[in-house]
Structure formats: C-alpha cells, structure tokens
Amino acid sequence: MRRSRGAAALLALSLTATGAGLGLALAPQAAAITPPVAFTADALSTWQPNGVVWALAEAGGQVFAGGTFSTVRPPAGGSGSERQAVNFVALDAATGAPTSCELSFTVASGTATVRALALSPDKSTLYAGGYFGAVNGTAVSSLVAVDVASCTVKTAFRPAFAATVRALAVTGDTVYAGGDFLTVAGQPRGRFAAVGATDGALKPFTADADEPGRAVEVTPDGQNVVLGGDFFTVNGANTHALAVVDASSGALTKAYPGFIETNSVVKDIATDDTGFYTANEGTGGGIFDGRIALDLPGFGQRWRDTCLGATQAVLPYRQVLYSASHAHDCSSVGEFPDGQRHHLLAQPTTGTGKLGWAPDTNDGIGEGIGPRVMTVGSKNGVEYLWAGGEFTTVNGAAQQSLTRFASTGDTGAPTVPVASAVSFRPGEVQVRWRTSLDLDDSALTYKVYRNGAATPIATVTADSLFFKRPQASWTDTTVAAGQSYTYRVTATDAAGNTSALSATASVTVPTTVDGYPNQVRADGATQYWRYDESALPFVADSSAGGNRAGVHLNAPALRQTPGAVSGTGTAIGFNGTDTQVYGDHRQSVGSTYSIETWFRTNTTRGGKLFGFGNNQSRGSNQYDKHIYMTNNGRLVYGVYTGATRTVTTATAYNDNAWHHVVATQGPGGMTLYVDGVQKGTLAVTTHENFSGYWHAGGDSLGGWPDRPTSEYWAGQLDESAVYPTVLSAAQVQNHYALATAPADSVVQVTAAEDTYANAGAPGTNYGTSSSLAVRGTSFYASYLRFDLPAAPAGTVLKAATLGVRTSTMSGAGTTDTVSVVPVTGAWSESGTTYTNRPSLGAPALGAYPGIPDGSAVHTATLTTGSVAAALGGSLGLALTSPGTDALWLWSSEAQAAEGTPRLTLTFGAP
C-alpha cells in the first residue's frame, strides 16, 4: 500500500579451494583501489578554517580555498598554531598546510565572502568572486584577478560588480560570472555577465535572468556557456534553472522549460569532453535534488539521478562523477532508501549506479548542508581530491570545512566480517557472512579458515557497497558426519589491508538429513531466516544460494528457546515497540510467491509478523504482501491492488503456543494456511509492484483493515522463508508435519575398552598403550568395545558413525583401506594379545578409504542395522587392513584422543 511519494554492484565469488560457492559469479581482479575510483577514502591531515568554504581551485601544487572565515588552524594533533586567514587561504596540495600566499578579502560594511574561484587556462591568474570591496587593501568590487606566481592583485583588472558574484568560468580572453548582480560597470546585466580577462572591461554578452545565477561553465569547444541558478527565464525565454547560451552574444542556444522541477535550482555545473553535469537542490515537495548528465554537442539528457539530498557540487574526473550532497534517499534509482545522509558519492559518468567510494562528513554549521565544493590538485605525482563546505567532521573525526583524499596510500582495512555456519545434511557445511564495508574498495577478498588453521581452506571475492552489503557464502564439502568444525573469516582490500578474524562460527555436521530445513531448501526458498545467530546485527540466509541476509534493528532478543521446529535451532524475540529484522537485499516480488513463518505470542496489541516494504530501517510508505495480527489475535494476509485485499482467520492465535503460517499468491489467487490447514482464499492475483525489502517483526500498517494498536510484533518468530513459487497444500502440510515430528537425538559413546594386537610381539598386551595400530603385513589389528544405550522410546536408530583420531607421529596416516568389522570372539582390553586375539566376523560394517597424515578426527559410516541389533548391549568392532602401510591412532587412554574412539548414534522417529 502507498501512503505518500517516496545500480547496484553485482555480488561475485571466486573459489580456490574444495567446496562450492552459492549463487555468485566471478569478480574481476581489483587494482589498489577498486576501479574506476581514483582516490582513497582516508582523509588526510589538512589545515581547517573556522567558517564555511564555498570555493576551491588548484594551480602549481597549491589549492586555494575561499569562503566565509577569519582564521585557519592545524588539524587535530597537528603542529602549528591558528593564524589569520580572512575569507581566503592557500594550502600545499601535498601537505595540507598553508603556503606563503596570503590574501585578505574584506568589505566596508556587511560580511565579506569569497564564493567563486577560477583559473585562467594557463593557471597563471586566479579569479575570485564573491562579496568584498578590497583584497589586501586594494580596492576591488566583488571580482578580482590575482597573479598566482606573486600572490598579488592584478590592478589592471578592474570590473565593477554591484552585488555578489557566485560563479565563474574563464577562457583565454573572457571571464564569465553569475550571481545576484543586476548591473556591471553601471550597465544592466541580469545575474550573468562577461568581462575581459585582462582588464575586466564589460563585454556585449547578455544573458539576463530573472533570479540569481549560481553556476556557469564554458563548453569544451568554447562556443557556448551553460548557465545554472534559480531563474525561470533567460533573455525573456522560459528556461527554468538551466540554459545554454552563445559564448559571444549570450543569445539562447538551448532552453529547458519544465526540464527541472519548479521547486529546484542548479547549484553547480561541470563539463568534460562528453558533456556537462548539473548539481541540483530542491525545497519543499515535488523536488529534484540529484544530478543530470547532458551530452555534447546536442545538450540532451544522457541520464538523470533522482536521489534526494541537495546536491551542491559535481566534479567529473577520469570517467567518474564525484558529487557533494547529503543524499538520503536513492530508492528511485534502485539504491538506498530514505535514511542516513551520505555526503560524498561517486558514480560513472555514464550512469547513476554508485561506486564503492563513500567517505563521509556531517551536515555541519550554517545551513547544515555538508560539503559544497570539490577540486583536484596534484603534486609530486600524487593526485588529491579536495572537498570544502560547512562540515565539522570527516569519517567521524573532528575536521572543519576542508578535507582531502589522495590517489595513493590506502590504509583503511575493511570491517570485520560477521560469520556463521550451518549444516543440514552429512558431508556439507554452509559458511556465510555479511560482506564487509570498505569506503574505497567495493571488491574485497575473503579468506575462510577452518579449525584454527593458519592456511585458509577457501578464498572468495565478493562485491559490497556502503548501502548494499549482501551475504557471501561458501560450502565446505570436505566435512565428516558427526564431527564439529569451527570457521573464521577475514576481509582484505586490494591494497592488502586485512580485517581482524571474525568471531568463531561453530557447527556440528549431522549424521542424517535435518528434515525441516532441508525440505524448505528443497522446495525452493530463496530467502530463509532461521534466527539462530548469537550476535548482532547479521541474520543469515540459509537458502540454497539466495544470499538474501537480514539485519537486526534495535537489538531483538536472540536465541530464544524453545524454537518452533522440534529439537533444532532457536527463535528470535521482538518487543512490540521498535525491534525488527529488515532485508539487506533490495528486490521486486513477482506475480507468484509464498511467505512462511512460525510465530508465538500472547499479545493483545497485534502487530506485523512478516511483510514487504519499500524502506529498511524507517517505516515504509509502500507496503503489502504481509501477514499481521489484529488486537484480538486473528491473522490477516493482505495485498494492495489500489485497495486493500485481505484474508482473515476466524480463529485467534495469541495463545502463547507455536503456530505455522503460510501465505501464497499466484494464478489461483490468495491462500492463507495456519498449522497446515487452509484458512481462507481470495480470488486476487495482483499486488502492488515496487522494489523493496522483506521485514520480520514490524513495518507500516496505516490504512489496513482491523489495524492493530501496534505495527510492531510482540512475540517470537522462527523459520521465516520466502519462495518465488506457490507452495501447494501438500507442501505446506509436509512442512508442518516435519516441524512437529519428534526431533532426532544424538548420543555419543566412547570406547569402554580398546587395544591392539601385534604379530611382531605375539605375547604382548597393549591395553594400557596410548596408541592403536592397524596393518596387514606385518599384522596389527585394533579392537574396540562400546556399551550401547537402548533406543529412546518411540525412536529407532537412524545412523551410526565411528570416529577415530590419527596420532601426531610422522606417517600416522595410511594409503590402505581400513575396514570396520564385527568381533565375534571373546576378548578384553587387559588380556588380549596376538596369540589369543578374537575371531572376526563379516561383512564389514564400514570402511575408511585411506587416511592422510596429520593428527585429525576421521569418521566412517556404519551399517545401521548391525549396530541397531546391539542396542542395549555391547558392540565389539575391529579395525583391519590388507596392506603394509600402518595406521596409528590415539587410544582412549591418550590425553589427545579427546573422546575417541567414539560412536555417534542418531535416533529419530521411525
């Protein structure tokens, strides 16, 4: 439902280890900073003014800053002391410290300010515009020329502007100005004018606007001038905020009536060889706040970036458009929804998709706009992107009005990945993590470490952006049933900066398939939140390749027990006030889908369990495809088709018991199931089509029937899944039955007795040895006895595995197959020798097809029926092999055995 108006990088993986990646493609090799970005996001030490910087320009390794300020001071922790700088300062591009060039811009009355700086094509002359009457005591009138080499006013340049100059552009013989003025040198010129570059004499150029000019730029061929500002007409013609005029006469070349919204203006214009770019700011409703690219020579629109957030400056540089704004809502171009402000962005000059460069400032003083101007300077082969404005922090650290970023020296490491691991079937572990954030590298390399090893078992590359940090995952297919494993993950950027290791993710591989989650995956879930995490803020997606993770908002209660599915996992708890989980993956929902979740509550205030909305951490203004509870405990499933369309249960479910709910929509309409039973249908096959995010535990509900007191869920959720298909009634019933069936239980039994026989010492007993040995020639055999429990009531043995651990001696492994066979004769740990060794039976119950060197646990699956026959009694097993390569194992007496030899028994429903 809609209440009001409101290109991302592809995730990629490459694998260099045994295992499988899920749902991701190969990523290109990154340079030191992810191309095409040219600058790091690491702010460099820079002197800072005490006011606002409005203008920047660069020449000869110096960066000139103009604005409204009176002093400059060293950066925090830097050397030096505050010094006078009256509305102007010259700084070394490489060090950020003041140079010897000092100019004071003053005025007899009012507040002097420098609003525009521009250089002659040969960079020998700096032109400064603003509102001032003198520079270093030399009388001027709001526009001045300064000799760069000597840092002195060029007195031959004597224009006379009667009001503030806000924009400048310079060619070899002309200075174009835009601003508030209505006359120049006593002659009428409405907001735009041109003067001679040497003497400042007024030129015939006339492009009169009805409102202030804020931007002016000459096209690369020098034939036209692009104007931007607040105006609605130029030379009497209707052309709001943007116009192209002849460079000589000022006559209108291209008008833009209705092209930019009435409540918006152009704050800045920049050009490159392919076109020009506008920075736009709006006020009120129905505004345009973003950026436009227009082609040359036709001046037609190439693209329009409709992000909201008052763009102040644009700077094309090496096929990237850098911009200064406080962008807070880019949902209209498929990116981040309304929320946090982002003040520095980069995108290709060919389109709107944001790149992985996002250093940030705050809004700062004055109007609270943040950065207002940018330029690029260079020195000693290093390029520097400078930004000025009214901010007071950069990347969270104190820094006022000026900052800069270099083309080299990336030192910022990615954030630490948040990892988890899960196993639903023998032989397979899914390791997944939320991709890390790096403000100048979107392509990161992740290394997966298993069981504390120093060498990674897998290397994965994946893309992420500051507003899109999707899940990455890798499947370990080299794990053994019944064994436990730990995993940790690091993130490394292209410059080699590496994060710390993630917290340890632990998992035990089951000996049989885990029925409920395995069926959810098999039935095609593309998003599956199980809520088993023990730490904020990452909610893992357990689907088979969807990688559509979630994010905790306001700290829901984790690891609530018991969960909804018998004997497996935990649930998540929501407070009914402000906690929820929102999707980290922006998506659209097709014409067929299913929503599934488990819930438990005793609330009388209702709330949304699960649904789709166009925002993430803020309440959505488009929202449907949701399940919510009314105050009296009934469930409502609804979509929006221009009107709200709902299916409602007749029964209340706020009885503090676990319930299963599934909502589907497709060609057959809408269907709602509760606890495996159909509760209602509606012949509606459409819903509101918008891009957004799945939410669990809360989102907007305004305008919906029987709207509950609370839009947030007070209760627990578990096992939330989304499918791109319609689940059948049989599938729904099967899910409910699997979840409510008796859970499997796992029992581990260590050897009650173990020893080995040695043909080379036929009379020796090894019952107290810390080792066991197996070989065909010369003969060794190991004997194990286990006292088995009876099967728990109502269950049968579903699986049995034998785990052994190789010793630390060199060559402890074997290339021979080692068989596990039944022992039929009598024996004891303390009395068995080679001479009196027991008889062995057949067939083999299991086998190890060779075991590598290195101390590790290895498992073999045993014939279930043979083990089941010994339940409640004693089971004797022997390890034998036919070859000459000996296997050495730890016995139960060895401290390093850690519980091996060990039988792992899995019991479950028959």
Side-chain angles (χ1 to χ4, degrees), residues 539-577:
V539 180
D541 177 13
S542 295
S543 69
N547 284 310
R548 296 177 176 180
V551 178
H552 297 111
L553 180 64
N554 296 323
L558 306 183
R559 300 195 64 79
Q560 303 290 288
T561 57
V565 178
S566 297
T568 178
T570 60
I572 188 170
F574 299 97
N575 63 10
T577 302

mmCIF file of all heavy atoms in Angstrom, residues 539-577:
data_model
loop_
_atom_site.group_PDB
_atom_site.id
_atom_site.type_symbol
_atom_site.label_atom_id
_atom_site.label_comp_id
_atom_site.label_asym_id
_atom_site.label_seq_id
_atom_site.Cartn_x
_atom_site.Cartn_y
_atom_site.Cartn_z
ATOM 1 N N VAL A 539 21.649 -11.453 10.153
ATOM 2 C CA VAL A 539 20.700 -12.562 10.108
ATOM 3 C C VAL A 539 20.999 -13.347 8.832
ATOM 4 O O VAL A 539 20.782 -12.859 7.721
ATOM 5 C CB VAL A 539 19.251 -12.054 10.103
ATOM 6 C CG1 VAL A 539 18.274 -13.217 10.054
ATOM 7 C CG2 VAL A 539 18.989 -11.177 11.313
ATOM 8 N N ALA A 540 21.513 -14.553 8.985
ATOM 9 C CA ALA A 540 21.975 -15.325 7.842
ATOM 10 C C ALA A 540 20.818 -15.859 7.023
ATOM 11 O O ALA A 540 19.756 -16.195 7.547
ATOM 12 C CB ALA A 540 22.858 -16.472 8.312
ATOM 13 N N ASP A 541 21.049 -15.938 5.722
ATOM 14 C CA ASP A 541 20.116 -16.573 4.806
ATOM 15 C C ASP A 541 20.571 -18.020 4.612
ATOM 16 O O ASP A 541 21.669 -18.267 4.117
ATOM 17 C CB ASP A 541 20.095 -15.837 3.473
ATOM 18 C CG ASP A 541 19.201 -16.501 2.439
ATOM 19 O OD1 ASP A 541 18.405 -17.380 2.823
ATOM 20 O OD2 ASP A 541 19.302 -16.149 1.250
ATOM 21 N N SER A 542 19.725 -18.974 4.999
ATOM 22 C CA SER A 542 20.067 -20.392 4.898
ATOM 23 C C SER A 542 19.489 -21.044 3.653
ATOM 24 O O SER A 542 19.507 -22.271 3.532
ATOM 25 C CB SER A 542 19.561 -21.138 6.139
ATOM 26 O OG SER A 542 20.226 -20.697 7.300
ATOM 27 N N SER A 543 19.004 -20.252 2.701
ATOM 28 C CA SER A 543 18.506 -20.847 1.464
ATOM 29 C C SER A 543 19.682 -21.367 0.647
ATOM 30 O O SER A 543 20.838 -21.072 0.932
ATOM 31 C CB SER A 543 17.708 -19.819 0.659
ATOM 32 O OG SER A 543 18.554 -18.804 0.144
ATOM 33 N N ALA A 544 19.374 -22.134 -0.379
ATOM 34 C CA ALA A 544 20.419 -22.753 -1.186
ATOM 35 C C ALA A 544 20.873 -21.799 -2.276
ATOM 36 O O ALA A 544 20.697 -22.045 -3.463
ATOM 37 C CB ALA A 544 19.907 -24.054 -1.785
ATOM 38 N N GLY A 545 21.472 -20.678 -1.878
ATOM 39 C CA GLY A 545 22.060 -19.774 -2.856
ATOM 40 C C GLY A 545 21.430 -18.422 -2.969
ATOM 41 O O GLY A 545 21.867 -17.605 -3.768
ATOM 42 N N GLY A 546 20.381 -18.128 -2.191
ATOM 43 C CA GLY A 546 19.760 -16.807 -2.298
ATOM 44 C C GLY A 546 20.642 -15.689 -1.806
ATOM 45 O O GLY A 546 20.647 -14.590 -2.345
ATOM 46 N N ASN A 547 21.393 -15.945 -0.733
ATOM 47 C CA ASN A 547 22.268 -14.931 -0.138
ATOM 48 C C ASN A 547 21.527 -13.637 0.173
ATOM 49 O O ASN A 547 22.054 -12.546 -0.006
ATOM 50 C CB ASN A 547 23.478 -14.668 -1.038
ATOM 51 C CG ASN A 547 24.501 -15.777 -0.931
ATOM 52 O OD1 ASN A 547 24.899 -16.177 0.154
ATOM 53 N ND2 ASN A 547 24.919 -16.305 -2.073
ATOM 54 N N ARG A 548 20.293 -13.765 0.648
ATOM 55 C CA ARG A 548 19.466 -12.604 0.979
ATOM 56 C C ARG A 548 19.358 -12.483 2.494
ATOM 57 O O ARG A 548 18.346 -12.827 3.091
ATOM 58 C CB ARG A 548 18.098 -12.718 0.308
ATOM 59 C CG ARG A 548 18.200 -12.700 -1.206
ATOM 60 C CD ARG A 548 16.868 -12.891 -1.895
ATOM 61 N NE ARG A 548 17.022 -12.762 -3.341
ATOM 62 C CZ ARG A 548 16.038 -12.884 -4.218
ATOM 63 N NH1 ARG A 548 14.813 -13.165 -3.787
ATOM 64 N NH2 ARG A 548 16.255 -12.754 -5.507
ATOM 65 N N ALA A 549 20.412 -11.981 3.079
ATOM 66 C CA ALA A 549 20.504 -11.898 4.532
ATOM 67 C C ALA A 549 19.639 -10.765 5.064
ATOM 68 O O ALA A 549 19.103 -9.947 4.320
ATOM 69 C CB ALA A 549 21.952 -11.695 4.945
ATOM 70 N N GLY A 550 19.533 -10.731 6.385
ATOM 71 C CA GLY A 550 18.806 -9.663 7.058
ATOM 72 C C GLY A 550 19.687 -8.949 8.057
ATOM 73 O O GLY A 550 20.819 -9.365 8.332
ATOM 74 N N VAL A 551 19.153 -7.868 8.615
ATOM 75 C CA VAL A 551 19.873 -7.054 9.585
ATOM 76 C C VAL A 551 18.962 -6.823 10.789
ATOM 77 O O VAL A 551 17.800 -6.429 10.631
ATOM 78 C CB VAL A 551 20.296 -5.702 8.986
ATOM 79 C CG1 VAL A 551 21.013 -4.854 10.025
ATOM 80 C CG2 VAL A 551 21.181 -5.906 7.766
ATOM 81 N N HIS A 552 19.487 -7.067 11.989
ATOM 82 C CA HIS A 552 18.736 -6.765 13.202
ATOM 83 C C HIS A 552 18.624 -5.255 13.374
ATOM 84 O O HIS A 552 19.604 -4.528 13.190
ATOM 85 C CB HIS A 552 19.447 -7.329 14.436
ATOM 86 C CG HIS A 552 19.576 -8.818 14.464
ATOM 87 N ND1 HIS A 552 20.790 -9.466 14.338
ATOM 88 C CD2 HIS A 552 18.646 -9.790 14.605
ATOM 89 C CE1 HIS A 552 20.593 -10.768 14.414
ATOM 90 N NE2 HIS A 552 19.311 -11.000 14.574
ATOM 91 N N LEU A 553 17.467 -4.778 13.758
ATOM 92 C CA LEU A 553 17.261 -3.362 14.061
ATOM 93 C C LEU A 553 16.826 -3.225 15.516
ATOM 94 O O LEU A 553 15.862 -3.875 15.944
ATOM 95 C CB LEU A 553 16.203 -2.764 13.130
ATOM 96 C CG LEU A 553 15.883 -1.282 13.344
ATOM 97 C CD1 LEU A 553 17.101 -0.419 13.038
ATOM 98 C CD2 LEU A 553 14.703 -0.852 12.477
ATOM 99 N N ASN A 554 17.552 -2.403 16.258
ATOM 100 C CA ASN A 554 17.242 -2.122 17.671
ATOM 101 C C ASN A 554 17.269 -3.366 18.553
ATOM 102 O O ASN A 554 16.515 -3.475 19.514
ATOM 103 C CB ASN A 554 15.896 -1.399 17.792
ATOM 104 C CG ASN A 554 15.912 -0.038 17.136
ATOM 105 O OD1 ASN A 554 16.917 0.671 17.184
ATOM 106 N ND2 ASN A 554 14.814 0.331 16.494
ATOM 107 N N ALA A 555 18.143 -4.294 18.203
ATOM 108 C CA ALA A 555 18.520 -5.414 19.068
ATOM 109 C C ALA A 555 17.351 -6.289 19.527
ATOM 110 O O ALA A 555 16.987 -6.302 20.707
ATOM 111 C CB ALA A 555 19.299 -4.906 20.283
ATOM 112 N N PRO A 556 16.759 -7.046 18.613
ATOM 113 C CA PRO A 556 15.797 -8.065 19.056
ATOM 114 C C PRO A 556 16.490 -9.083 19.966
ATOM 115 O O PRO A 556 17.718 -9.197 19.984
ATOM 116 C CB PRO A 556 15.350 -8.724 17.740
ATOM 117 C CG PRO A 556 15.769 -7.802 16.659
ATOM 118 C CD PRO A 556 16.941 -7.040 17.165
ATOM 119 N N ALA A 557 15.708 -9.838 20.716
ATOM 120 C CA ALA A 557 16.252 -10.844 21.631
ATOM 121 C C ALA A 557 16.629 -12.090 20.842
ATOM 122 O O ALA A 557 15.791 -12.683 20.155
ATOM 123 C CB ALA A 557 15.219 -11.189 22.700
ATOM 124 N N LEU A 558 17.911 -12.491 20.968
ATOM 125 C CA LEU A 558 18.424 -13.604 20.178
ATOM 126 C C LEU A 558 18.344 -14.920 20.947
ATOM 127 O O LEU A 558 18.259 -14.945 22.164
ATOM 128 C CB LEU A 558 19.867 -13.323 19.769
ATOM 129 C CG LEU A 558 20.131 -12.000 19.045
ATOM 130 C CD1 LEU A 558 21.597 -11.887 18.638
ATOM 131 C CD2 LEU A 558 19.229 -11.849 17.827
ATOM 132 N N ARG A 559 18.380 -16.021 20.188
ATOM 133 C CA ARG A 559 18.498 -17.385 20.699
ATOM 134 C C ARG A 559 17.439 -17.696 21.767
ATOM 135 O O ARG A 559 17.735 -18.173 22.858
ATOM 136 C CB ARG A 559 19.905 -17.658 21.213
ATOM 137 C CG ARG A 559 20.965 -17.500 20.113
ATOM 138 C CD ARG A 559 22.301 -18.099 20.491
ATOM 139 N NE ARG A 559 22.215 -19.544 20.673
ATOM 140 C CZ ARG A 559 22.187 -20.450 19.689
ATOM 141 N NH1 ARG A 559 22.220 -20.046 18.421
ATOM 142 N NH2 ARG A 559 22.122 -21.731 19.961
ATOM 143 N N GLN A 560 16.202 -17.412 21.424
ATOM 144 C CA GLN A 560 15.083 -17.735 22.291
ATOM 145 C C GLN A 560 14.744 -19.223 22.157
ATOM 146 O O GLN A 560 14.691 -19.765 21.050
ATOM 147 C CB GLN A 560 13.866 -16.889 21.921
ATOM 148 C CG GLN A 560 14.120 -15.380 21.984
ATOM 149 C CD GLN A 560 14.286 -14.906 23.405
ATOM 150 O OE1 GLN A 560 13.335 -14.850 24.166
ATOM 151 N NE2 GLN A 560 15.515 -14.562 23.771
ATOM 152 N N THR A 561 14.506 -19.877 23.277
ATOM 153 C CA THR A 561 14.179 -21.297 23.257
ATOM 154 C C THR A 561 12.875 -21.558 24.003
ATOM 155 O O THR A 561 12.519 -20.801 24.907
ATOM 156 C CB THR A 561 15.308 -22.133 23.905
ATOM 157 O OG1 THR A 561 15.528 -21.658 25.238
ATOM 158 C CG2 THR A 561 16.586 -22.029 23.095
ATOM 159 N N PRO A 562 12.162 -22.608 23.645
ATOM 160 C CA PRO A 562 12.471 -23.498 22.524
ATOM 161 C C PRO A 562 12.081 -22.865 21.197
ATOM 162 O O PRO A 562 11.194 -22.011 21.145
ATOM 163 C CB PRO A 562 11.598 -24.723 22.799
ATOM 164 C CG PRO A 562 10.397 -24.142 23.496
ATOM 165 C CD PRO A 562 10.938 -23.029 24.352
ATOM 166 N N GLY A 563 12.750 -23.304 20.121
ATOM 167 C CA GLY A 563 12.364 -22.842 18.801
ATOM 168 C C GLY A 563 11.118 -23.557 18.320
ATOM 169 O O GLY A 563 10.552 -24.425 19.006
ATOM 170 N N ALA A 564 10.688 -23.204 17.121
ATOM 171 C CA ALA A 564 9.438 -23.756 16.604
ATOM 172 C C ALA A 564 9.590 -25.181 16.115
ATOM 173 O O ALA A 564 8.655 -25.980 16.208
ATOM 174 C CB ALA A 564 8.929 -22.882 15.471
ATOM 175 N N VAL A 565 10.758 -25.522 15.584
ATOM 176 C CA VAL A 565 10.965 -26.837 14.995
ATOM 177 C C VAL A 565 11.543 -27.769 16.047
ATOM 178 O O VAL A 565 12.527 -27.428 16.714
ATOM 179 C CB VAL A 565 11.905 -26.745 13.778
ATOM 180 C CG1 VAL A 565 12.159 -28.122 13.182
ATOM 181 C CG2 VAL A 565 11.289 -25.820 12.726
ATOM 182 N N SER A 566 10.963 -28.910 16.200
ATOM 183 C CA SER A 566 11.326 -29.822 17.278
ATOM 184 C C SER A 566 12.824 -30.105 17.299
ATOM 185 O O SER A 566 13.387 -30.584 16.315
ATOM 186 C CB SER A 566 10.568 -31.147 17.126
ATOM 187 O OG SER A 566 9.183 -30.939 17.242
ATOM 188 N N GLY A 567 13.452 -29.774 18.428
ATOM 189 C CA GLY A 567 14.822 -30.169 18.684
ATOM 190 C C GLY A 567 15.885 -29.468 17.889
ATOM 191 O O GLY A 567 17.048 -29.856 17.941
ATOM 192 N N THR A 568 15.567 -28.423 17.132
ATOM 193 C CA THR A 568 16.589 -27.788 16.305
ATOM 194 C C THR A 568 16.443 -26.281 16.330
ATOM 195 O O THR A 568 15.348 -25.741 16.191
ATOM 196 C CB THR A 568 16.520 -28.288 14.851
ATOM 197 O OG1 THR A 568 17.513 -27.605 14.067
ATOM 198 C CG2 THR A 568 15.164 -28.040 14.237
ATOM 199 N N GLY A 569 17.529 -25.583 16.520
ATOM 200 C CA GLY A 569 17.573 -24.143 16.363
ATOM 201 C C GLY A 569 16.909 -23.360 17.471
ATOM 202 O O GLY A 569 16.348 -23.897 18.424
ATOM 203 N N THR A 570 16.984 -22.043 17.317
ATOM 204 C CA THR A 570 16.408 -21.108 18.275
ATOM 205 C C THR A 570 15.530 -20.113 17.537
ATOM 206 O O THR A 570 15.533 -20.043 16.311
ATOM 207 C CB THR A 570 17.512 -20.362 19.044
ATOM 208 O OG1 THR A 570 18.335 -19.637 18.096
ATOM 209 C CG2 THR A 570 18.386 -21.317 19.836
ATOM 210 N N ALA A 571 14.788 -19.329 18.287
ATOM 211 C CA ALA A 571 13.881 -18.327 17.733
ATOM 212 C C ALA A 571 14.410 -16.931 18.051
ATOM 213 O O ALA A 571 15.418 -16.756 18.740
ATOM 214 C CB ALA A 571 12.475 -18.517 18.297
ATOM 215 N N ILE A 572 13.695 -15.920 17.544
ATOM 216 C CA ILE A 572 14.042 -14.527 17.804
ATOM 217 C C ILE A 572 12.851 -13.843 18.461
ATOM 218 O O ILE A 572 11.694 -14.144 18.125
ATOM 219 C CB ILE A 572 14.460 -13.805 16.495
ATOM 220 C CG1 ILE A 572 15.008 -12.407 16.776
ATOM 221 C CG2 ILE A 572 13.306 -13.754 15.500
ATOM 222 C CD1 ILE A 572 15.646 -11.760 15.557
ATOM 223 N N GLY A 573 13.122 -12.936 19.412
ATOM 224 C CA GLY A 573 12.056 -12.265 20.134
ATOM 225 C C GLY A 573 11.997 -10.785 19.809
ATOM 226 O O GLY A 573 13.031 -10.109 19.748
ATOM 227 N N PHE A 574 10.779 -10.253 19.610
ATOM 228 C CA PHE A 574 10.559 -8.844 19.281
ATOM 229 C C PHE A 574 9.751 -8.181 20.395
ATOM 230 O O PHE A 574 8.853 -8.800 20.979
ATOM 231 C CB PHE A 574 9.834 -8.713 17.947
ATOM 232 C CG PHE A 574 10.594 -9.287 16.787
ATOM 233 C CD1 PHE A 574 10.327 -10.566 16.333
ATOM 234 C CD2 PHE A 574 11.595 -8.561 16.159
ATOM 235 C CE1 PHE A 574 11.024 -11.103 15.266
ATOM 236 C CE2 PHE A 574 12.297 -9.084 15.093
ATOM 237 C CZ PHE A 574 12.020 -10.356 14.638
ATOM 238 N N ASN A 575 10.058 -6.899 20.668
ATOM 239 C CA ASN A 575 9.480 -6.238 21.840
ATOM 240 C C ASN A 575 8.155 -5.540 21.569
ATOM 241 O O ASN A 575 7.559 -4.968 22.472
ATOM 242 C CB ASN A 575 10.481 -5.249 22.433
ATOM 243 C CG ASN A 575 10.841 -4.112 21.477
ATOM 244 O OD1 ASN A 575 10.208 -3.933 20.426
ATOM 245 N ND2 ASN A 575 11.868 -3.344 21.826
ATOM 246 N N GLY A 576 7.702 -5.510 20.318
ATOM 247 C CA GLY A 576 6.435 -4.866 20.016
ATOM 248 C C GLY A 576 6.502 -3.357 19.979
ATOM 249 O O GLY A 576 5.475 -2.689 19.843
ATOM 250 N N THR A 577 7.721 -2.799 20.052
ATOM 251 C CA THR A 577 7.883 -1.341 20.078
ATOM 252 C C THR A 577 8.725 -0.831 18.914
ATOM 253 O O THR A 577 8.303 0.051 18.165
ATOM 254 C CB THR A 577 8.529 -0.898 21.396
ATOM 255 O OG1 THR A 577 7.728 -1.343 22.479
ATOM 256 C CG2 THR A 577 8.668 0.627 21.447
#
